[in-house]
Amino acid sequence: MSKIPLETPLGELHGVGPRFVSKLNKLGIHTVRDLLWHFPNRYEDWSRIAKISELKSGDAFTIRAKVTEIGVKRAWKKRMLIVEALLDDGSGSIQATWFNQPYIKNVLKPGTIANFAGKVALRKNKLYLSNPTYELNVGDSSKHTGRLVPIYPETKGLTSKGLRFLTQPILENIEPVKEFIPEKILKEHDLPEVNGALHDIHFPDKLSETQDARKRFAFEDLFLLHLNNIILRLALFKKTSPKIETPENRTQEILSGLPFELTSSQKGALDEILADMDKSHPMNRLLQGDVGSGKTIIAGIAALIAAEKGFQVALMAPTEILARQHYKTLLKFFGTTDSGIGLLISKEGRIHYGDGLEESVAKPALMKELAANRIKILVGTHALIQKNVNFDNLGLIIVDEQHRFGVAQRAALADGKGKIPHFLSMSATPIPRTLMMTVFGDLDVSLIKELPKGRRPIITKIVAPENRNKAYGFIKGQVQKGRQAFVICPRIDPSEGDNLLTREEAKKLEMKSVKEEYEKLSKRIFPDFKVAMLHGKLSSKEKEETMKEFAAGRIDVLVSTSVIEVGIDVPNATIMMIEGADRFGLAQLYQFRGRVGRGEHQSFCFLFAGSESGISYRRLNSLLTAKNGFELAEKDLAIRGPGEFLGEEQAGMPDIAMKSLNNMELVKDARKAAEETLKSSPSLKEYPLLKERLNLFSKEIHLE
Ligand code: ADP
Ligand code: MG
């Protein structure tokens, strides 16, 4: 029989039906390679082969027995079909049941001898097998019974049994996979060779064999990620950007015009950014700092310096509210300078010229001013970088709360001479170090470590259910003093769940919804206050309007979903009350809390937990004790995994590498290996197989 090549599309394999193939395709599994690199996440130990007479309740066994009787019945009350069979192996007999798989009656006809594996359970003093896995033609090697059996991450309609059925014969008949990790690296890091590792991760004989195999595949992904990052970095380095030199003493002048002194890490970050801009290859920098650490002013100074040198700057925010806020901040600090500052929001725009005049203009007029280079700094949402927005001489792109920006996107914004703009992103999301090194490894990072002087720490409390009314009383007192409060709920509507729970589950947990809380607070608890609500189902105009009213102090209590998360600056808000706090990630809670404590008044954060389990209490408690966002981020990463962290758009990240992001050693080893490999062969000429694999990998991950 000829061997199966790795790149064979699954549809071309013998005996794999189109329905099965389309299910696999939905998981991103198209070729034999994809299938073999789809790894089990655990194993079931069915290696103990026993006689029926030896079976004990609670244990997992494999038996070999004859089907003596089999029948289907409808479960009493429930609308469910149950197949019941009696199995006999000479030592005794036992009943087996399967739910909702009536076809089994036709497969296991009386007289059939098969292997059955599963957990033995006890009901009415009788042992039985519930939903055992069966295997009919067990030759020399069994796939589903009598051994350690791989369990794959299950997706609708694709069972572990189905995957095993497909994977095992392929593994036995595959063309030997060519090892693409250089041998030297395998040796140095004590990693198994690919063919053995593939066998061991899918069909191990002992659980201990899976460890090395897992380590190898995690290393493999991390190694590829690092290679990808380093190569991206080098490629970007070769491109040209305008060299934007900061005139002597100019920074000092700007700083002396500010109403406050920069913190020392703000100064450090500013120096790093200005030094990058002063080079003729592109800056690719992330400015990281807690909420309220003062990132905007740093970005603003960089923008001003570029503008004064004749370059244009695009400053992008994730929402219109934030774009307005940034625009106002720029005017506040730099409104008297000569540089035209513009704001572009959907169809309308504003332009502020150095003479202090501000004009509201229609989009076409604004476009004209931009093309004529009379607007130097343009603030807006992502609409700023659309095709029809033409900068004359874009030198710097600043993006708030988005980590990366594709090289292709940047190249498209290049000036006529092929110079691509410098790039600076800002983020308040503390990113754990392992993630920073891998997923964001192509970025340079400037870190603002401290908050400006004089900020009072926010008093944070986990509130027990019986103290709810006390908390409301406290809020009442604050509002009467003129302060404002946020109330965050995990869902919008009482008729829905959240991203993890169904409606019924959410209801059972008494998960609070914005609409219910709004009703309750506005009618019963705070009838004399102005209460409003904010959530993602409102139009962006309504949201904008509500936020504006809140910022202007005309709303006392704002009940909201997590839409409030991004950088809103309302110094008069001093209370952040979070319902169902256990439904949110620590890093997210940290972000919520950062919405208060921005002004002169003492601020408070009250956490209400929906469930009282010890775990959620401990988790919330770390919000009280953590020294900074990074510490929380590391904890969050450990508890919830990187998926939560990076969100949907990073789903392209390989699963096994994700899981290994808690392993700093491995991440570092892989980086070292990537660096050494590229040093010894910068274009990977010496490693054609690796090069080929890397090309494939780069296409698979959509990290841009
Ligand atoms: P973030 O890093 O969350 O974007 P902002 O840039 O919005 O924070 O800054 C929060 C507030 O702190 C703003 O009102 C800003 O003007 C002020 N600020 C920034 N730097 C300092 C500083 N060094 N000293 C005092 N206040 C500062
Ligand atoms: Mg900000």
Side-chain angles (χ1 to χ4, degrees):
M1 200 164 101
S2 68
K3 296 283 184 188
I4 307 167
L6 205 52
E7 304 305 337
T8 313
L10 292 171
E12 289 177 14
L13 290 178
H14 218 66
V16 185
R19 277 193 45 203
F20 198 30
V21 171
S22 94
K23 278 178 194 164
L24 288 163
N25 289 351
K26 277 197 192 113
L27 281 184
I29 302 173
H30 301 275
T31 63
V32 165
R33 171 200 294 283
D34 298 337
L35 181 74
L36 295 186
W37 261 259
H38 181 69
F39 301 126
N41 48 5
R42 61 187 183 89
Y43 305 85
E44 205 73 79
D45 188 357
W46 290 330
S47 57
R48 281 167 71 187
I49 298 174
K51 292 272 167 225
I52 290 177
S53 60
E54 300 163 358
L55 297 184
K56 279 201 288 295
S57 162
D59 281 349
F61 291 101
T62 294
I63 57 168
R64 184 157 183 79
K66 188 197 264 180
V67 180
T68 53
E69 287 169 32
I70 190 158
V72 185
K73 70 174 194 189
R74 195 168 285 278
W76 189 62
K77 276 204 272 193
K78 289 180 203 143
R79 258 182 282 146
M80 200 190 282
L81 292 171
I82 303 181
V83 175
E84 283 183 346
L86 203 61
L87 313 175
D88 196 309
D89 69 351
S91 78
S93 68
I94 188 167
Q95 198 185 52
T97 51
W98 292 269
F99 298 101
N100 279 339
Q101 300 164 73
Y103 62 86
I104 288 176
K105 181 172 177 273
N106 305 324
V107 182
L108 298 175
K109 298 225 163 74
T112 310
I113 294 179
N115 275 7
F116 298 87
K119 241 197 179 138
V120 181
L122 194 66
R123 184 178 51 203
K124 290 184 188 153
N125 260 332
K126 262 180 75 181
L127 294 177
Y128 74 105
L129 292 169
S130 169
N131 266 322
T133 294
Y134 56 88
E135 185 165 19
L136 288 173
N137 304 306
V138 189
D140 298 338
S141 60
S142 56
K143 321 185 208 347
H144 311 298
T145 61
R147 56 169 304 131
L148 275 176
V149 167
I151 308 293
Y152 296 88
E154 299 219 358
T155 336
K156 258 209 168 107
L158 207 57
T159 61
S160 284
K161 193 169 184 181
L163 282 168
R164 288 196 289 270
F165 196 78
L166 194 58
T167 305
Q168 203 203 32
I170 289 178
L171 261 177
E172 278 170 13
N173 290 297
I174 191 163
E175 267 181 10
V177 179
K178 293 189 197 115
E179 179 61 76
F180 67 83
I181 299 183
E183 205 185 307
K184 183 171 158 278
I185 288 175
L186 288 182
K187 275 222 183 81
E188 219 172 282
H189 299 276
D190 208 9
L191 300 165
E193 171 279 338
V194 61
N195 289 284
L198 276 174
H199 176 271
D200 287 353
I201 201 165
H202 287 286
F203 291 98
D205 293 323
K206 288 195 295 275
L207 217 49
S208 58
E209 290 175 355
T210 64
Q211 302 298 334
D212 282 348
R214 272 190 189 279
K215 182 175 158 200
R216 183 228 138 88
F217 290 113
F219 183 93
E220 173 180 311
D221 276 340
L222 293 169
F223 180 56
L224 291 168
L225 261 176
H226 283 305
L227 284 173
N228 189 61
N229 284 335
I230 298 170
I231 288 170
L232 272 182
R233 213 185 231 282
L234 292 175
L236 196 62
F237 192 82
K238 286 199 190 113
K239 299 240 174 358
T240 40
S241 288
K243 182 170 150 66
I244 305 177
E245 198 187 336
T246 309
E248 183 127 11
N249 296 330
R250 183 62 188 130
T251 325
Q252 225 27 65
E253 268 171 47
I254 297 173
L255 293 184
S256 61
L258 295 180
F260 46 72
E261 199 184 334
L262 293 188
T263 61
S264 67
S265 47
Q266 273 178 313
K267 280 186 199 142
L270 182 61
D271 286 346
E272 286 169 346
I273 292 163
L274 295 180
D276 272 6
M277 283 164 44
D278 195 0
K279 290 182 185 134
S280 53
H281 51 81
M283 164 165 74
N284 201 30
R285 188 169 284 279
L286 172 66
L287 175 58
Q288 240 191 332
D290 263 359
V291 271
S293 62
K295 296 182 290 293
T296 320
I297 188 70
I298 300 306
I301 295 171
L304 182 65
I305 283 173
E308 288 176 347
K309 278 291 194 172
F311 294 98
Q312 288 176 302
V313 181
L315 172 53
M316 287 188 272
T319 63
E320 296 193 353
I321 302 170
L322 278 173
R324 273 183 218 278
Q325 194 176 292
H326 285 329
Y327 174 69
K328 277 201 205 132
T329 303
L330 289 178
L331 294 194
K332 183 166 122 201
F333 291 121
F334 310 128
T336 57
T337 59
D338 291 334
S339 306
I341 301 176
L343 173 70
L344 176 62
I345 277 168
S346 51
K347 289 194 182 58
E348 56 139 319
R350 306 185 80 78
I351 308 176
H352 179 98
Y353 297 102
D355 52 15
L357 291 179
E358 190 182 10
E359 280 177 22
S360 173
V361 292
K363 193 173 168 182
L366 189 137
M367 290 294 113
K368 242 167 127 183
E369 289 294 283
L370 188 70
N373 204 350
R374 276 191 293 272
I375 295 175
K376 285 290 192 296
I377 305 175
L378 184 60
V379 187
T381 55
H382 265 70
L384 282 195
I385 51 156
Q386 270 154 15
K387 280 197 283 307
N388 57 349
V389 182
N390 291 312
F391 288 87
D392 173 53
N393 187 19
L394 185 61
L396 171 65
I397 301 170
I398 303 171
V399 180
D400 199 5
E401 288 304 337
Q402 184 199 323
H403 298 115
R404 60 180 70 230
F405 198 66
V407 177
Q409 252 176 316
R410 280 165 78 174
L413 292 165
D415 67 4
K417 290 150 251 144
K419 291 190 177 163
I420 76 169
H422 292 289
F423 172 70
L424 175 67
S425 78
M426 300 187 267
S427 171
T429 313
I431 301 170
R433 270 194 322 145
T434 48
L435 270 186
M436 203 66 238
M437 283 170 72
T438 49
V439 183
F440 303 105
D442 57 326
L443 293 172
D444 294 309
V445 182
S446 293
L447 198 58
I448 305 185
K449 294 196 206 83
E450 74 274 50
L451 293 181
K453 275 202 287 283
R455 295 272 167 85
R456 278 186 249 193
I458 297 158
I459 296 175
T460 306
K461 292 242 149 79
I462 301 172
V463 185
E466 61 268 25
N467 290 331
R468 176 173 285 278
N469 285 333
K470 261 197 209 152
Y472 287 144
F474 186 84
I475 295 177
K476 205 173 258 172
Q478 285 279 307
V479 175
Q480 277 159 355
K481 278 191 214 155
R483 304 288 86 75
Q484 293 162 279
F486 293 103
V487 177
I488 306 286
C489 302
R491 56 179 179 157
I492 300 176
D493 218 284
S495 68
E496 61 182 25
D498 68 358
N499 53 351
L500 291 174
L501 300 182
T502 63
R503 172 168 56 132
E504 286 72 28
E505 288 167 325
K507 197 169 162 206
K508 222 161 77 200
L509 284 174
E510 297 176 19
M511 197 161 98
K512 301 273 193 252
S513 74
V514 167
K515 286 184 181 165
E516 282 171 311
E517 290 306 294
Y518 168 76
E519 284 294 308
K520 181 176 104 188
L521 295 179
S522 60
K523 296 210 173 108
R524 303 211 314 270
I525 313 281
F526 305 126
D528 302 332
F529 297 158
K530 180 98 175 66
V531 183
M533 63 175 161
L534 189 70
H535 54 73
K537 281 191 186 156
L538 299 174
S539 70
S540 50
K541 213 176 164 111
E542 286 169 306
K543 272 187 281 190
E544 185 104 356
E545 199 49 43
T546 307
M547 249 350 276
K548 244 160 89 187
E549 289 291 293
F550 188 72
R554 287 190 288 270
I555 291 170
D556 301 313
V557 178
L558 184 60
V559 188
S560 172
T561 55
S562 59
V563 292
I564 201 73
E565 201 174 348
V566 278
I568 304 295
D569 196 6
V570 185
N572 191 47
T574 57
I575 294 198
M576 172 55 66
M577 169 163 166
I578 302 169
E579 298 284 1
D582 51 330
R583 305 300 312 156
F584 298 103
L586 285 176
Q588 206 180 4
L589 291 171
Y590 189 75
Q591 299 276 324
F592 290 145
R593 184 172 62 176
R595 302 291 127 241
V596 296
R598 309 192 126 219
E600 58 198 288
H601 308 287
Q602 176 64 53
S603 288
F604 304 86
C605 176
F606 298 140
L607 303 166
F608 288 84
S611 77
E612 286 186 61
S613 84
I615 293 176
S616 73
Y617 181 84
R618 264 208 306 284
R619 207 164 70 86
L620 292 181
N621 206 44
S622 47
L623 194 68
L624 275 59
T625 54
K627 283 191 253 343
N628 54 48
F630 284 92
E631 207 180 300
L632 284 176
E634 307 269 351
K635 280 199 179 123
D636 233 14
L637 180 67
I639 298 169
R640 305 184 354 141
E644 295 280 346
F645 227 93
L646 296 167
E648 292 295 320
E649 79 266 28
Q650 301 285 359
M653 174 95 179
D655 198 46
I656 196 156
M658 294 265 247
K659 292 208 180 81
S660 52
L661 286 178
N662 289 324
N663 186 345
M664 191 59 165
E665 278 316 294
L666 200 65
V667 169
K668 278 189 179 157
D669 282 354
R671 182 160 84 172
K672 200 171 125 239
E675 281 166 356
E676 279 168 8
T677 307
L678 284 170
K679 209 186 236 166
S680 73
S681 179
S683 59
L684 297 179
K685 217 192 274 159
E686 276 177 52
Y687 308 108
L689 290 170
L690 176 59
K691 192 170 179 169
E692 193 184 319
R693 180 71 189 92
L694 183 64
N695 283 340
L696 210 71
F697 180 85
S698 307
K699 270 188 219 130
E700 277 166 15
I701 51 170
H702 309 287
L703 292 180
E704 299 209 322

